[in-house]
Amino acid sequence: QVQLVESGGRLVQAGGSLRLSCAASGRTFSSYAMGWFRQAPGKERDLVAALTASSAYWSSTPYSTSVKGRFTISRDGAKNTVYLQMNSLKPEDTGVYYCAAGATMGKWDYWGQGTQVTVSS
């Protein structure tokens, strides 16, 4: 059974840092695209950033553009885990962050349950 389990979300003050983790099990995702999505309160779920086997991809949405330079996406293949390092957090970063995996970029086959990030001002 394939599972993606996110962790690391919590309440943090503005200016702080968090590292979100997404641990995958049930298969090896080394050749899969892995993505982090954010769903802000009352908003749709949007892609923040993704990794293919060879490169990182940042969405062209205003939010993704605003986090580029503050957030870093990375992968540990040995642990089958993808990370989202979040620095200089702002209240507008608040939301539920989801991890997803797909055999091809843009077609997400598996989803995690989400982890809540709340940034207080």
Side-chain angles (χ1 to χ4, degrees), residues 7-116:
S7 62
R10 61 177 177 87
L11 173 65
V12 64
Q13 286 192 331
S17 296
L18 286 175
R19 188 176 79 159
L20 305 184
S21 300
C22 172
S25 61
R27 67 161 296 143
T28 299
F29 286 93
S30 57
S31 64
Y32 271 56
M34 302 290 292
W36 282 102
F37 291 73
R38 183 195 72 140
Q39 187 163 20
K43 304 290 186 182
E44 294 185 352
R45 188 179 305 183
D46 290 322
L47 176 67
V48 177
L51 274 178
T52 66
S54 58
S55 61
Y57 168 82
W58 294 86
S59 172
S60 60
T61 64
Y63 179 69
S64 182
T65 301
S66 76
V67 306
K68 198 174 180 182
R70 298 190 292 122
F71 292 7
T72 303
I73 187 171
S74 62
R75 183 201 302 249
D76 185 332
K79 295 182 178 179
N80 224 15
T81 299
V82 65
Y83 304 98
L84 186 68
Q85 178 67 43
M86 309 165 73
N87 297 329
S88 302
L89 283 161
K90 303 176 181 180
E92 51 263 41
D93 296 320
T94 293
V96 180
Y97 284 74
Y98 295 89
C99 172
T104 57
M105 178 70 78
K107 186 179 181 300
W108 305 102
D109 303 306
Y110 306 103
W111 290 89
Q113 83 289 347
T115 187
Q116 175 71 47

